[in-house]
Amino acid sequence: MCEERVFKKNDIVTVTVTDFGNDGEGIGKADGYTLFIKDAVIGDTVSARIMKVKKGYAYARLLEVITPSPHRTDPPCPVARPCGGCQLQSVTYEEQLHFKRRKVENALRRIGGFSEEKLRAVMQDTEPSPRTLRYRNKMIVPVGTGKDGAPVAGFYAGRTHDIIPCEDCLLGQPENGAILKEILGFMREKGMSAYDEESGEGLIRHVFLRRSRESGENMLCLITNGDAAEYAHELQARLGPGAHPEWKITGAGYSVNRERTNVIFGGPVRPLWGKAALEDALHSEKYDIHMRYRISPMSFYQVNPYIAEKMYEKVLDLAELTGTETVFDLYCGIGTISLFLASGAREVIGVEIVPDAVKNAAENAALNGLSNARFLEGKAEEVVPALMKRENLRADVVVVDPPRKGCDETLLDTITGIAPEKLIYVSCDPATLARDLKRLTGCGYDLTFVKPYDQFAMTGHVEVVSLLQRVSNTRERMITLDVEMEDHS
Ligand code: SAH
């Protein structure tokens, strides 16, 4: 009789990694178990220690790479492994791009129910990021207290809330480290405490920095557990352009968050010094677009401007505007996509839930001399039905770009009711994208284009631009249905 091996915690196994999991972890098979091994690369043969055993699968910790994969490379960051923020730093860039395409395909197949034939027809290769390091324009660093009682800033280790001190993230900007160091030094001198999650005491929770690629200017925002106005002058003297012209911190503020929550920002941003918003620009040579954007700290802005502008250019390609269209840009943030579209459409209506972002969007339309874009504040799923009722508008093209949880079902149904010719879905989560595409393709739309964008190089995350085209005349069908129902009543 063949005795099946049962894994126990701390067993050591040798295994060949044959796949990547959803977050870029290595997957191998041993004795009927599927093993998930963080930091192992597809093609590696490794030894690993079993950490947690479940039914049919187990989590293991990488001990040694016995035979390295051809896809393995040296991670550029010294804390890549403990930090865990970059799941793919040990993977060659080419393989990272393949991984992201497969990740999107898998979601569309497993969750969306799309056939192999369909996937072959619509799936494009991953668009590489023009920069794979130092591309991030935004940094949010938690501040805590080190063992010696001094404030530390760094990154949460893996999925924990332990802070690993690290002042230079290689995805971020080179000056971030020095700025953080200065803030920590200031805190030490002034006896300013770091927030403690356990007790809810302490002042400084997070440091937020966002940099304009265009001007190199930085906007600083401290997330605090109380008022910080008394430090405004001294902070400016230490960090402002007078003291450090090279950092270009031309605007700074703070947001008070007294809640015990993972949500970073609290109340509205109060000024410390300088400008209340950062200004950046995104370009498309192809369409001769050079759009300027004002961005308040609480407004969303894509973290990788180098590839964001390529994505927005693709949205314009797919929209095929002729100048006569009405376009809805839902989840529009500061109007980045809306204004690219406004340059080619008759009218663009953007909808966004964050008040500062909607305000920025309207300012941005004016800043770029565009009078054919307007912006509405609220939940897309509530604003769009109300707008349809009030103005009886039709949209030729609808763009949605929701956060990770995807679109609200009622919004998808409202959109298919409006029956635009084209629906462009920009997503940062393949799983919810696949779920929503399934619903949309069941309601008169055909999926015709899916392209992953490497917005988050070195990490397991991926952004997607996809296109749905109307196949049947949904609007007429709905009217016919209404008539039929009336006939039967
Ligand atoms: N298209 C923009 C923003 C995309 S991020 C860009 O590329 O820059 C998603 C945006 O959706 C965020 O600005 C977020 O505040 C907003 N949002 C989240 N839930 C929403 C909802 N229910 N209705 C409208 N906007 C929402």
Side-chain angles (χ1 to χ4, degrees), residues 300 302 312 331-333 336-337 351-354 378-381 401-403:
F300 176 89
Q302 292 287 2
Y312 298 162
Y331 308 87
C332 70
T336 38
I337 300 180
V351 182
E352 163 61 43
I353 200 170
V354 170
K379 291 184 180 168
E381 58 273 26
D401 183 6

Side-chain angles (χ1 to χ4, degrees), residues 90 148 163 208 357 410 445 488:
S90 303
D148 62 352
I163 293 175
F208 165 104
T410 58
Y445 280 84
H488 287 94

